[in-house]
Structure formats: structure tokens, C-alpha cells
């Protein structure tokens, strides 16, 4: 096996650090404008990060241009780690989050768009730091889009080869023949959605600072909020929550479909099988949750309290849709403690943690397309038992899916469930109760944020033991990077020269 091209690996790490430092300067500017007292600390973090990145790029200049699969796996995994290690500097320098463990946990929770936080008094944190916290979501979310659409298909990860039709690849039906141009178009869509949501939230009654932070968190399906109560802070302003519902729906949709929408190719979107199933899941579970809430949960609202809406029925639909979308898309915002909405809904929401949004979106979880193809493969196997000699392909969007992709997806499912069981077992060994361990592992692996038990929607992760925080950080990383990308680095044969 040829030697690793370390120069290109470290060169790209340098590029990432340079970008990270640039984004930190934006947070420093916010700190300067809001006069929160931490501008110098955030600026110092930005300059150190940018200087290290520039130094790495300088040392590794003249590297070979060719990037092979092995370098790809290393760059993706270590890229997230380098970003997280540098991204915790503003927390440490400002003293907003003391201790490397807590700072790293909060940072990797940001970049992986998990939204799990160790902070208990969010509203006392300097605004520049809160903005940086939301920015880590936004950077990580866009990184995932580019990763899923442009890079993972080339590495053959987790069934993402299905994107060969829309992303760069040997097909007439693609976004653009070059990865860089694909990334630019996706960045433009991502930025546009963020700007539009910021404006709408401001018009609906949020302050500009709250609006931009929640837009950054929504489009990345992250979930960090500027308020202790999350979006429940605006329960008296339903329009704000409806705006976030709409953009959570968009963020959980394959961004390639958003590109087609801008091009006016609506029929292509409506024919997409994953999109149809995703919408069916959202509205199907939304209706079920609405009915259960309406008949069994006291929301404390009436038409008298909200003369502009139609009382409990409207509130039931709004809270149900919001929380179903927040969990399916793994955004993790909350408008209420949904673990108190009857045991039936608690089980439903626990199951939704394993669903995930569409592939090619910023959401975490298993992804709808994998569920769809697993179910179709099971139905084909039923038919094959009756007709063993028949040729029965699994189809997706009218095209036959290669068996290697089906095997890849089945392997992903097994690995995902094993990771969850092992993850929960390790947390339980640290003293977490059954419900908290299962929910915490599922939430971290699916990048959801709020979980169950002691890690529920109204709780935080600050009380976890030291080892628990590092373990959860590991689960967040492998869940965000589609398992194979990280876990293959732990295998001996990956590093073996032969």
C-alpha cells in the first residue's frame, strides 16, 4: 500500500484552521458591537487559530494534488477534531466555559450540530461567545452538506453513493461536474436560507441578535439557543415558532432538492421518494402527537389567552409539529418538556431519534433513505422466498439500487445499533440510570441534543462525569460522520503497509 500523503492532510488542516480563525473574528466583531467585554479574548483565539493554520499551509506548500481514499477518511475525521480543538479557545480564553473537558464538549456539540450543552445559565454568557457558539453549528452544518453531497459518495460511505445522480459523478443528472462548484451552489443556498430566516424572525418579534443566532442553529439543525428556555421563551409568539418549523423542515430536506426548487424543477422534488416519505413521517407523527396533546395534555392556553389563534387546537398542532420536526431533523429546539406528554408520546419521540432527516441535509440520525431501502429490501426478500429464481431488484426513484449499496446500508444499521448499545452500556457503567443512559447514547449518536431522564429537554449535560462527557463527545463525532468514516481509522488494516 502506498504511503500516506501527509503533506496534503496537514495542508487541508491548515486551510480549515484559517477558515475557523476567520469566523472567530466575526464573533470578535459581535463582541465589540455588543460591548460584552470579551472582544480581546475572542480576537486572540482567532489570531492564534489563523496563525497556526497559515503556518501549516506554509510548511506543507508544494504538496501532491492527488487525494486518495485513505487521506479522505483521515481529513474528514481529523478535520472535525482540529476544528473542535481550536474552536474551544474562545470559551477558554474568555472564561465562559472553564476546563478543557467542558469547553471541548460544548465545541464538538456545536460542530457536530448536536446541541447538547453543559451551560445552565445561557443568558449570562457574553453575546460574542453565544454568537460563536451558534456559529460552530453553522460551520458544522455546511460542512456536513458538502461532505454528504460531494465527498462521501467518492469514499463510498454509508450508502451515500445514491447521491451520484445529483452530486458530482458519472451521470447526466447532476448538480455540476465539479465538487468545488457543487459546494459553492450549496453554500449559496445555505447562506440564503439563513439570511431569510433571520429577517423573518426579526420581523416576527425577535431581537436581531436572537434572530441571527436561531437562524444559524436552525439551518444547521443544531439547537443551541440564546435563552435558557430555548424556543419556549417565545411561546406567546406563535409566528416565531411557525417560522422555525418551516426552516427546520427545509434544513431536514436534501439540499439538492432545494437547488432544484430554485431552478423551478418542482416535479423532480415531488417525485423524490425520500422526500415524500420524509414529509409523510413529519406530518403523520405530527397529527398523532397533536391528537394526543389535545386530548391528554394541559398546555395552559385558550382562545382567551391567544385571541389571534384558535386556542388549544392551534397550540396542540404547533407544539406537536415543532417537537416532531425538532427530533426528526435532530435540531433539538424545545417549546415544552415533551417527556411529560404521556408515556406513549415519550416512546414515539424516543423512536424518532433513530429516524433522522433526509440524506444530503444537515440533520443527523440514520436518515430516511436508509429506512426506505431497508424496508424495500425486506419486502424483496419476502418475495424471493416465494420466487427464489426471480430477479427482484430493490428500486429507488425508479432506478435499480446496486446490491453493494444495500449491503452497505444493512451494515450501517447493524453498526449504528451496536454503537448505541455499547454507548448506553458505557454510560450506565458510569452510574447513569437506565433511561438516561439509553436516551443519552441515542441523542449523542443521532446528534439530537435533548434526551430523556436526567438529560431531558429541561436539563443539561453539565452534571455528567468527566469520562461521560468525553464518551458522549466520541459518540457525537462518529454519529455525525456516518460511523464508517471514524471507525475505519480504529482498524489495524487501515494503517498497515502491505
Amino acid at each position: 500500500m502506498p504511503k500516506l500523503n501527509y503533506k496534503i492532510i496537514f495542508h487541508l488542516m491548515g486551510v480549515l484552521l484559517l477558515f475557523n480563525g476567520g469566523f472567530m473574528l466575526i464573533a470578535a466583531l459581535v463582541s465589540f458591537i455588543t460591548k460584552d467585554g470579551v472582544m480581546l479574548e475572542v480576537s486572540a483565539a482567532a489570531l492564534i487559530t489563523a496563525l497556526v493554520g497559515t503556518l501549516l499551509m506554509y510548511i506543507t506548500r508544494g504538496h501532491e494534488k492527488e487525494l486518495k481514499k485513505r487521506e479522505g477518511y483521515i481529513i474528514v475525521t481529523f478535520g472535525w477534531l482540529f476544528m473542535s480543538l481550536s474552536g474551544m479557545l474562545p470559551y477558554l480564553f474568555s472564561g465562559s466555559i472553564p476546563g478543557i473537558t467542558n469547553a471541548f464538549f460544548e465545541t464538538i456539540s456545536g460542530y457536530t450540530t448536536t446541541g447538547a450543552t453543559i451551560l445552565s445559565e445561557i443568558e449570562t454568557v457574553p453575546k460574542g461567545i453565544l454568537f460563536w457558539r451558534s456559529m460552530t453549528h453553522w460551520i458544522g452544518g455546511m460542512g456536513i452538506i458538502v461532505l454528504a453531497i460531494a465527498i462521501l459518495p467518492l469514499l463510498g460511505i454509508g450508502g451515500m453513493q445514491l447521491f451520484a445522480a445529483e452530486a458530482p459523478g458519472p451521470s447526466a443528472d447532476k448538480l455540476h461536474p465539479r465538487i468545488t462548484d457543487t459546494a459553492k451552489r450549496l453554500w449559496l443556498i445555505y447562506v440564503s436560507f439563513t439570511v431569510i430566516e433571520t429577517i423573518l424572525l426579526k420581523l416576527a418579534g425577535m431581537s436581531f441578535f436572537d434572530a441571527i443566532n436561531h437562524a444559524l442553529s436552525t439551518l444547521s439543525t443544531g439547537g443551541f439557543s440564546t435563552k435558557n428556555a430555548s424556543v419556549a421563551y417565545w411561546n406567546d409568539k406563535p409566528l416565531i415558532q411557525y417560522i422555525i418549523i418551516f426552516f427546520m423542515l427545509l434544513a431536514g430536506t436534501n439540499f439538492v432538492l432545494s437547488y432544484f426548487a430554485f431552478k423551478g424543477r418542482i416535479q423532480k422534488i415531488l417525485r423524490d421518494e425520500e422526500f415524500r416519505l420524509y414529509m409523510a413521517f413529519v406530518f403523520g407523527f405530527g397529527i398523532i402527537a397533536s391528537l394526543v396533546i389535545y386530548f391528554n395534555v394541559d398546555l395552559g392556553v385558550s382562545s382567551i389567552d391567544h385571541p389571534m389563534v384558535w386556542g388549544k387546537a392551534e397550540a396542540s398542532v404547533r407544539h406537536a409539529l415543532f417537537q416532531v420536526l425538532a427530533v426528526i431533523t435532530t435540531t433539538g429546539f424545545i417549546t415544552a418538556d415533551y417527556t411529560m406528554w404521556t408515556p406513549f408520546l415519550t416512546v414515539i419521540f424516543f423512536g424518532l431519534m433513530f429516524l433522522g432527516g433526509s440524506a444530503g441535509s444537515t440533520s443527523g440520525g440514520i436518515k430516511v433513505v436508509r429506512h426506505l431501502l431497508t424496508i424495500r429490501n425486506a419486502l424483496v426478500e419476502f418475495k424471493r422466498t416465494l420466487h427464489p429464481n426471480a430477479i427482484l431488484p430493490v428500486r429507488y426513484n425508479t432506478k435499480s439500487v446496486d446490491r453493494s449499496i444495500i449491503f452497505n446500508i444493512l451494515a450501517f444499521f447493524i453498526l449504528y445499533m451496536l454503537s448505541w448499545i455499547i454507548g448506553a452500556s458505557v454510560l450506565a457503567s458510569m452510574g447513569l440510570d437506565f433511561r438516561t443512559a439509553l436516551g443519552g447514547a441515542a441523542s449523542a449518536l443521532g446528534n439530537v441534543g435533548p434526551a430523556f431522564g436526567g438529560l431531558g429537554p429541561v436539563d443539561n449535560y453539565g452534571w455528567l462525569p468527566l469520562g461521560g462527557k468525553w464518551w458522549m463527545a466520541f459518540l457525537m463525532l462518529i454519529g455525525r460522520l456516518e460511523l464508517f468514516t471514524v471507525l475505519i481509522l480504529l482498524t489495524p488494516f487501515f494503517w498497515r503497509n502491505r
Side-chain angles (χ1 to χ4, degrees), residues 317-337:
V317 171
R318 172 164 44 91
H319 284 293
L321 265 181
F322 191 101
Q323 290 307 156
V324 164
L325 264 168
V327 177
I328 285 181
T329 63
T330 71
T331 307
F333 282 141
I334 60 167
T335 58
D337 185 358

Side-chain angles (χ1 to χ4, degrees), residues 282-415:
V282 169
F283 290 105
F285 286 113
I287 291 169
I288 292 169
S290 299
L291 293 172
V292 174
I293 293 169
Y294 184 81
F295 290 108
N296 297 282
V297 179
D298 180 14
L299 293 173
V301 298
S302 68
S303 56
I304 297 173
D305 297 323
H306 297 286
M308 298 302 291
V309 297
W310 31 290
K312 186 176 180 180
E314 181 277 333
S316 299
V317 171
R318 172 164 44 91
H319 284 293
L321 265 181
F322 191 101
Q323 290 307 156
V324 164
L325 264 168
V327 177
I328 285 181
T329 63
T330 71
T331 307
F333 282 141
I334 60 167
T335 58
D337 185 358
Y338 54 80
T339 61
M340 305 301 290
W341 287 350
T342 76
F344 172 70
L345 283 184
T346 299
V347 173
I348 291 288
F349 282 114
F350 181 70
L352 292 181
M353 283 188 171
F354 294 90
L355 189 56
S358 303
S361 71
T362 55
S363 66
I366 293 174
K367 306 292 192 305
V368 172
V369 68
R370 288 196 180 99
H371 291 282
L372 174 63
L373 290 177
T374 302
I375 292 167
R376 287 204 171 156
N377 183 62
L379 294 175
V380 165
E381 290 301 324
F382 286 145
K383 292 178 183 177
R384 193 169 281 126
T385 58
L386 294 175
H387 310 285
N389 297 320
I391 299 173
L392 301 167
V394 176
R395 295 190 178 277
Y396 175 67
N397 285 342
T398 71
K399 297 176 183 176
S400 178
V401 178
D402 192 274
R403 293 298 292 171
S404 65
I405 294 177
I406 298 297
F407 294 149
N408 197 311
I409 289 172
L410 293 176
F412 181 91
F413 260 102
I414 294 169
L415 195 56

